[in-house]
Amino acid sequence: METSVRILDAIPVTHNVRHYRLERPKGYDFTPGQATEVSIDRDDWRDRKRPFTFTSLPDADTLEFTIKSYFDHTGVTNELWSLGAGDHLILRDVWGTIQYNGPGTFIAGGAGVTPFIAIMRHLNATGKLAGNRLIASYRTEQDIILREEFEAMEGLEVLWTLTDDPKSSLMQERIDAGFLKSHVPHLNQNFYLCGPDPMVKDLRGLLDEAGADVGNVTWEK
């Protein structure tokens, strides 16, 4: 299934991240955490597909993606930055394995937080956010996605850590075995992982070695 939908607006989030709010086709449903393959409805771009996660609530009248653009190469996300209201994107079937299985710790690297946005928003809207924790790693403080929104969610514990911003007062630690031992003392819980593939692979191994039940670890397979 392919459908072309109109962009309603493009809203800045950070210096390289935007919300893209779109028309919602009738009957086009998703579960928080799911994604679809997207391409730009322009000549020479329609076959260049990239996976993006829905960040809107599942019952919203419109669709939303929260997308980081990479300006160091002429790819889809770089081209997206040139789009705005009235331009069109092509959406396809919904897919994804990151779905909510109960309270736990969400660990994200950079734009890997995006599958967690719709999940957190939905839990917040339904009063079921208590007992969840978000740990997110970014290069600098200005890279943090939706900091104010996450910090304002009642019941959600948030921990930011940075890897290359010595002037910031936020934590400056990489998420490694020592980090998990210090900041994730309880392993008998659900874990949700999303970020660069090497990071997710390392975290799965570290959680396994630390004694977490691999059956309680969710990531995009």
Side-chain angles (χ1 to χ4, degrees):
M1 184 276 292
E2 292 188 359
T3 184
S4 180
V5 297
R6 183 167 57 93
I7 298 175
L8 301 175
D9 49 30
I11 304 167
V13 178
T14 72
H15 62 101
N16 57 7
V17 176
R18 282 177 174 172
H19 292 313
Y20 293 87
R21 194 168 61 90
L22 316 172
E23 295 175 319
R24 182 168 189 163
K26 185 176 181 179
Y28 192 81
D29 298 322
F30 68 92
T31 300
Q34 288 191 308
T36 187
E37 286 194 323
V38 178
S39 57
I40 298 168
D41 196 355
R42 284 181 177 174
D43 291 344
D44 300 325
W45 290 94
R46 294 185 181 92
D47 293 331
R48 300 180 67 171
K49 307 171 187 177
R50 295 294 183 274
F52 296 119
T53 306
F54 302 101
T55 55
S56 47
L57 290 171
D59 57 354
D61 293 335
T62 58
L63 297 175
E64 180 192 270
F65 296 101
T66 301
I67 299 174
K68 178 179 177 180
S69 285
Y70 297 87
F71 305 125
D72 57 349
H73 59 279
T74 56
V76 171
T77 66
N78 181 67
E79 186 71 11
L80 275 170
W81 198 261
S82 70
L83 304 186
D87 290 312
H88 286 72
L89 299 179
I90 297 171
L91 309 183
R92 296 171 176 84
D93 291 335
V94 172
W95 54 269
T97 57
I98 296 183
Q99 298 188 40
Y100 187 64
N101 298 313
T105 294
F106 293 74
I107 304 178
V113 77
T114 52
F116 304 154
I117 295 173
I119 293 173
M120 299 295 187
R121 285 176 168 173
H122 187 246
L123 292 174
N124 189 48
T126 55
K128 299 177 181 179
L129 195 51
N132 287 290
R133 187 184 193 201
L134 172 64
I135 298 173
S137 174
Y138 292 91
R139 193 176 69 82
T140 71
E141 192 168 344
Q142 71 168 350
D143 294 318
I144 296 176
I145 298 172
L146 299 184
R147 178 178 180 177
E148 292 183 359
E149 180 175 349
F150 283 127
E151 290 181 350
M153 289 183 177
E154 186 174 353
L156 177 66
E157 181 183 352
V158 181
L159 180 62
W160 310 114
T161 186
L162 309 177
T163 60
D164 189 21
D165 195 354
K167 294 182 180 180
S168 173
S169 61
L170 294 176
M171 180 181 296
Q172 309 274 329
E173 296 182 25
R174 293 189 177 275
I175 302 177
D176 54 18
F179 181 99
L180 294 177
K181 185 176 181 180
S182 298
H183 302 291
V184 189
H186 305 296
L187 296 172
N188 186 24
Q189 61 173 305
N190 291 304
F191 288 94
Y192 304 86
L193 312 177
C194 193
D197 289 342
M199 176 185 177
V200 171
K201 182 179 179 180
D202 288 347
L203 282 171
R204 287 167 50 207
L206 291 171
L207 288 170
D208 187 21
E209 291 171 8
D213 183 348
V214 293
N216 294 332
V217 179
T218 297
W219 74 97
E220 194 62 73
K221 298 179 178 65

